[in-house]
Amino acid sequence: MAVAGMAMAQAQEKKPLQVQETNHEGITAEVSEVTRKEGVLTVKLRFRNNGAKPSRIYVLGNWGDADKFYVVAGSSKMMPLRDSQKVALMSPPDGGGGLYPEIKPGGSFIFWAKYPAPPASAKKITYMTPHAAPFEDLPITEVQ
């Protein structure tokens, strides 16, 4: 039963928009979603362990690292949105103040972040992370 449930979950998983190698052994980074809704752009990035052993990836050391994840549309650079406490609107760090998930072989970890949306005329973005080469020409999906 557990195997059937896992197979169903994998079948429902969307095909990534783009995949890049990372500097972490066995880990790839996949942009799975770029959506624009009500002036906000949301990007979802999946870190996948394709290796044979568990791997811990350093995603964020602290909130100061949040600006290492940004969007470029045309000649505009968009930094992560922040709340009234100046906390970036993205996957929160774990209890230790950083975000260091351990990913089991065949497993994955989803990181998300929110940005000011580029103008409606922008149909594609480039997503920059400290983990991989730029994810270029990612299509933006409009959400109503």
Side-chain angles (χ1 to χ4, degrees):
M1 195 77 123
V3 172
M6 217 186 309
M8 222 166 73
Q10 288 173 346
Q12 292 173 351
E13 193 174 288
K14 294 180 192 175
K15 181 180 178 204
L17 299 174
Q18 198 173 123
V19 179
Q20 297 281 356
E21 292 181 19
T22 70
N23 293 321
H24 305 279
E25 186 178 344
I27 303 288
T28 56
E30 309 170 352
V31 173
S32 61
E33 186 175 302
V34 177
T35 57
R36 178 171 31 211
K37 181 180 179 183
E38 298 176 1
V40 175
L41 188 79
T42 302
V43 178
K44 290 184 183 174
L45 181 67
R46 179 186 306 274
F47 293 99
R48 185 178 303 280
N49 185 346
N50 299 305
K53 60 184 179 180
S55 184
R56 186 169 296 280
I57 183 168
Y58 166 93
V59 179
L60 289 171
N62 58 43
W63 287 122
D65 288 344
D67 288 344
K68 292 179 181 176
F69 293 84
Y70 60 92
V71 170
V72 177
S75 60
S76 297
K77 179 179 178 179
M78 279 77 71
M79 305 309 281
L81 289 172
R82 295 181 181 270
D83 67 15
S84 60
Q85 304 295 311
K86 304 217 185 292
V87 174
L89 300 179
M90 58 178 40
S91 295
D94 60 28
L99 187 56
Y100 307 97
E102 181 176 284
I103 307 171
K104 293 179 177 16
S108 65
F109 174 80
I110 296 175
F111 171 83
W112 59 267
K114 297 195 175 278
Y115 301 88
S121 61
K123 303 299 181 196
K124 294 182 178 185
I125 62 154
T126 295
Y127 193 56
M128 305 294 288
T129 82
H131 301 288
F135 291 91
E136 298 179 307
D137 297 321
L138 294 167
I140 299 171
T141 300
E142 303 291 339
V143 179
Q144 299 302 326

